[in-house]
Amino acid sequence: MPGKILLIDDEPELVAAVEIRLKANGYNVDFAYDGQAGMDKIKESKPDLILLDIVMPKLDGYEVCKKLKADPEAKDIPVIIFSASQRKGFEEKYRALGVENFIFKPFESRELLEMIKKVIAKG
Amino acid sequence: MKKESNPKAKKIVKSKKRMIPVAQVENLLKRAMHDLEKAREVSSDAEGVSLSQPSEELEAKIKERTFELSVLYEFSNTIAYTLDYHQLIKLVMESLFKIVEHDICAALLFNENIASVTIKPSYAESAKFTEEVRNAVIDSAAMLTGDDIRRKHLSSFLIPSSSIAQPKEDNQLDKIRSTFNLPFIVQAKTVGLINVCSCRENAFSEEDIKLISTIVNQASTAIERMRAVITAEKSKMESMVEGMAEGVIMLDEDDEIVVINPRAKDILGFGLKEAATSGMLKEKFHALGLDKAFEECKTVKHLITKEINIANDGAAVVRCDITAVKNSAGEAIGIVAILRDITKEKEVDKMKSEFISTVSHELRTPLTTMREFISIIADEIPGKLSKEQRDYIEIIRGNIDRLSRLINDLLDISKIEAGKIELKRSFITLSNLIKDVVATLKPKADAKHIELKTSFQAFLPRVYIDADRIVQVFTNLIENAIKFTPQNGKITVKMINKENVIECSVSDTGAGIAPENLGKVFSRFQQFGRVAGGGAKGTGLGLAITRELVHMHQGKIRVESEPGKGAAFIFTLPKDTIESLVKKIIHDRMEEAKKLHAKLSILTLSIIDFNNVKNQIEGQKLKFILLDIERVIRYALRKPTDTVLRDEGEIFVILEECNKDGVLIVKKKLEQSITDYLKREDLAEIIKLQAGALTYPDEAQSEEELFAKAIKSQRGEE
């Protein structure tokens, strides 16, 4: 049942940690360190789910989301926002774009895994 | 009066003369001297009449003169200390009453814009002439000056007659027969008038008139002095206001600009050299919405703080504090507005909150990586751990969690300080909420062998709260209790239904709090002497945040403790129903709408046969659907002053300053948006809405009527 997850975050060490965790739970993991590279990876590897950071160089999470949802081939890939900022009104903005869910850093691994499982099962 | 006493009398008179500063008194004195001389002549001419026994008539005259002089003396001394026109007129009238017999008198003082009439009847009965005398004095003044007094802002005062004064028996007080006017003249200009009346024919002798004119002349001099002092004070005030760093605007009761200093013009975007006419300024007030704020201040609130954005070179963000100026009767007779350029403060504020959110983001990022790697090790993904290794790893994980809690708390407290937390309130069943919190925290209590139990009264009403924030309150209090309760202790979470509030409490069987520390527990970073029973350390901010959150819900929080026996944190939440909230909001909005002659509309929306809908859709799912509908409504409104209240399937939307046409447009828009949503979610067959619209004053003339009709409309009865 596990699938392929694309992780887009500009913190290589965190990406490494999450990769270890996800792989240990049977997922296939691909990653990118900025939004632009992330967009390329989406087309290349066709993931089942995207874990997307917000504050990133080149293309931030919001822009990635917008481009993604405008792309007919990619728009159905579920997105979980993976962020350290918790600003007011921020969730609505992303939900309006069709983002599936949010997980805030620092996070509980158990929670992240459960959320991924649910979202993939739904898709 | 004995002969030797005469020189003595003269001496007194002389000494009085020296002390009276005004020349007119000299005449009186001369007259007194003249009477005295005459008395001597009479005495020496008449044979057989002793010098030491002047005629009784003359003696009475001298006594009268002396009395008149003492009244005049007192009058001129007293007026030297007054700076109040009204007080001066009162003194004039009191002195007149003492020395000239009359039945009623009136005084009128005026300047370019205002006039005031003061009337003093000598006897209770002569008060019946008040209106007649009032008109007479105004007409006389108009004739004398050619100025229409009635056009001015006219105020009237009545000084009651002394209760013991009685008219002489032969005075009928039936009709005014004698009257004369004397003007108050300052620098060759008439500034007022005094009118003295009597019901007797030819009531006033030449001497009386001279006496009155002495008093009036002295009063005129006093008015001149008072004007000079007031002008000097005013120019002092003016130069102070001119030089102020804040903008000052003062309006009178007819909204005319009385004062506007250069700084205010500058802030409003008028250059210093540019002559801003009153019309231009008023137009500016209107463009900035200040006119409305001024009006509201005068009629409703008496104190308003408004932030305005001005797009010009003067200032970008301006804080405007408006206060109503009241007269002695407490009526607003104008406003004073202080304008302050707070552009810099706003920038600093923005920088501060950006700084805090950036810092907390930057702090969370490395913490996240640390925590994830530690968790990977703790979960033994890379390999088995020894017991000792696992213990150390858990300590690291605990401290990382503590750091991230501290970051969250700091962020919370700075948001609360900046007033940036907005409650997202809805009607919630509190017991369900608490059960969830308790279930989450139970493992922590179990680990310490603490019994964590709840005790709720049956049938508690739902409360209007921000669920996330109240969860935070309960979590803070219960976590605290777990921390300070030793093993095998007990924690009880209680809810009691009181008259106006729901009282919640979290009590423990811990060490308690020393009486001297009870007052400090809600302060920041106050972690004193309570023996924490191990576990995660606190941040010292939890109770401060808790208190703020309770206050934001209009609740109160307190702590009770008996050292050695435990502590109880007790807080209240108001028991609002959707109806009581609608009533309250209508009340608040209506008061403003009435004063501003604005309209007020209410939209009611309800789900038809809600109980049936409840049976068809699973609880949690229905909750989300209702939240979505609420979101659709809020999204469609977009006016910050509009209020949306929802309880289950009942929704009220209160639209400020919205007329009948407006509310019908909004109603159509909302119905369309909700229908679109229901169709999209495939719910249109199950969920159907009915909507109603009401407008004050079109369909309801009072707040009670509007409320009653809104409730009826909600129930579909109308």
Side-chain angles (χ1 to χ4, degrees), chain B residues 276-316:
Chain B
T277 62
S278 157
M280 284 158 74
L281 288 166
K282 280 187 192 169
E283 213 169 275
K284 193 83 186 176
F285 294 163
H286 179 71
L288 297 171
L290 278 174
D291 53 348
K292 235 172 99 185
F294 292 161
E295 188 58 31
E296 198 186 346
C297 174
K298 231 164 52 176
T299 52
V300 194
K301 287 197 176 131
H302 292 130
L303 180 72
I304 285 182
T305 295
K306 193 179 158 72
E307 264 178 33
I308 46 177
N309 288 298
I310 302 179
N312 64 29
D313 310 336

Side-chain angles (χ1 to χ4, degrees), chain A residues 2-55:
Chain A
K4 190 193 266 181
I5 295 171
L6 173 62
L7 183 55
I8 311 175
D9 195 306
D10 65 333
E11 283 284 322
E13 286 165 346
L14 178 63
V15 169
V18 178
E19 191 187 356
I20 293 168
R21 172 73 67 184
L22 293 177
K23 279 188 171 157
N25 281 275
Y27 292 99
N28 247 323
V29 182
D30 206 346
F31 53 83
Y33 295 143
D34 67 66
Q36 191 54 59
M39 285 307 298
D40 299 340
K41 276 275 158 79
I42 292 169
K43 283 179 192 154
E44 198 181 297
S45 64
K46 304 251 164 15
D48 298 305
L49 182 137
I50 300 166
L51 267 180
L52 180 64
D53 185 22
I54 293 180
V55 185

Side-chain angles (χ1 to χ4, degrees), chain B residues 324-428:
Chain B
V325 181
K326 296 178 195 171
N327 63 11
S328 51
E331 297 152 346
I333 51 165
I335 60 101
V336 176
I338 306 286
L339 308 182
R340 220 167 280 139
D341 180 0
I342 54 161
T343 316
K344 278 235 170 66
E345 282 95 323
K346 280 273 147 182
E347 270 167 21
V348 170
D349 209 40
K350 203 175 151 209
M351 271 166 63
K352 189 183 151 197
S353 56
E354 265 170 18
F355 175 76
I356 289 172
S357 76
T358 309
V359 165
S360 51
H361 180 269
E362 291 305 309
L363 287 172
R364 277 195 196 112
T365 303
L367 272 180
T368 308
T369 308
M370 283 161 68
R371 195 181 192 286
E372 189 52 14
F373 273 116
I374 289 293
S375 301
I376 287 167
I377 296 170
D379 293 348
E380 300 183 321
I381 292 172
K384 283 262 168 218
L385 293 175
S386 70
K387 162 99 183 41
E388 200 181 358
Q389 282 170 328
R390 174 179 297 281
D391 289 348
Y392 299 161
I393 292 287
E394 281 310 322
I395 291 172
I396 299 173
R397 183 147 73 175
N399 277 281
I400 290 172
D401 287 347
R402 187 176 158 205
L403 260 176
S404 71
R405 275 201 309 276
L406 187 57
I407 294 166
N408 289 340
D409 280 359
L410 278 171
L411 203 60
D412 262 356
I413 207 102
S414 68
K415 273 189 202 158
I416 288 171
E417 259 187 2
K420 286 218 172 91
I421 288 191
E422 263 177 51
L423 296 183
K424 290 179 192 144
R425 295 174 97 148
S426 55
F427 284 94
I428 306 267

Side-chain angles (χ1 to χ4, degrees), chain B residues 340-571:
Chain B
R340 220 167 280 139
D341 180 0
I342 54 161
T343 316
K344 278 235 170 66
E345 282 95 323
K346 280 273 147 182
E347 270 167 21
V348 170
D349 209 40
K350 203 175 151 209
M351 271 166 63
K352 189 183 151 197
S353 56
E354 265 170 18
F355 175 76
I356 289 172
S357 76
T358 309
V359 165
S360 51
H361 180 269
E362 291 305 309
L363 287 172
R364 277 195 196 112
T365 303
L367 272 180
T368 308
T369 308
M370 283 161 68
R371 195 181 192 286
E372 189 52 14
F373 273 116
I374 289 293
S375 301
I376 287 167
I377 296 170
D379 293 348
E380 300 183 321
I381 292 172
K384 283 262 168 218
L385 293 175
S386 70
K387 162 99 183 41
E388 200 181 358
Q389 282 170 328
R390 174 179 297 281
D391 289 348
Y392 299 161
I393 292 287
E394 281 310 322
I395 291 172
I396 299 173
R397 183 147 73 175
N399 277 281
I400 290 172
D401 287 347
R402 187 176 158 205
L403 260 176
S404 71
R405 275 201 309 276
L406 187 57
I407 294 166
N408 289 340
D409 280 359
L410 278 171
L411 203 60
D412 262 356
I413 207 102
S414 68
K415 273 189 202 158
I416 288 171
E417 259 187 2
K420 286 218 172 91
I421 288 191
E422 263 177 51
L423 296 183
K424 290 179 192 144
R425 295 174 97 148
S426 55
F427 284 94
I428 306 267
T429 307
L430 203 50
S431 52
N432 291 346
L433 201 82
I434 302 175
K435 276 179 202 153
D436 286 348
V437 177
V438 167
T440 314
L441 295 175
K442 194 134 193 351
K444 274 193 186 175
D446 287 347
K448 269 181 86 179
H449 301 287
I450 293 168
E451 187 192 347
L452 174 58
K453 59 170 215 168
T454 54
S455 152
F456 304 150
Q457 267 182 328
F459 308 116
L460 287 168
R462 270 169 305 162
V463 281
Y464 189 60
I465 55 169
D466 182 328
D468 289 344
R469 294 301 178 179
I470 294 301
V471 163
Q472 197 179 349
V473 167
F474 276 108
T475 307
N476 278 345
L477 294 178
I478 298 171
E479 278 187 340
N480 249 0
I482 294 175
K483 208 184 307 167
F484 294 109
T485 303
Q487 290 219 339
N488 304 318
K490 200 168 94 179
I491 296 168
T492 314
V493 183
K494 253 194 229 168
M495 257 196 321
I496 305 166
N497 194 359
K498 296 240 168 153
E499 197 184 340
N500 297 313
V501 294
I502 302 255
E503 193 180 86
C504 310
S505 65
V506 176
S507 47
D508 62 51
T509 57
I513 303 159
E516 66 268 26
N517 288 331
L518 276 177
K520 292 188 254 172
V521 291
F522 295 109
S523 311
R524 286 171 210 180
F525 299 114
Q526 291 283 350
Q527 291 170 305
F528 30 69
R530 273 225 281 179
V531 187
K537 282 204 180 75
T539 61
L541 290 167
L543 284 176
I545 294 170
T546 299
R547 180 179 61 176
E548 293 302 328
L549 292 176
V550 169
H551 285 175
M552 284 172 74
H553 281 86
Q554 289 84 43
K556 285 181 180 148
I557 187 163
R558 65 177 200 274
V559 57
E560 288 173 0
S561 175
E562 203 177 318
K565 291 205 173 159
F569 285 84
I570 303 142
F571 69 95

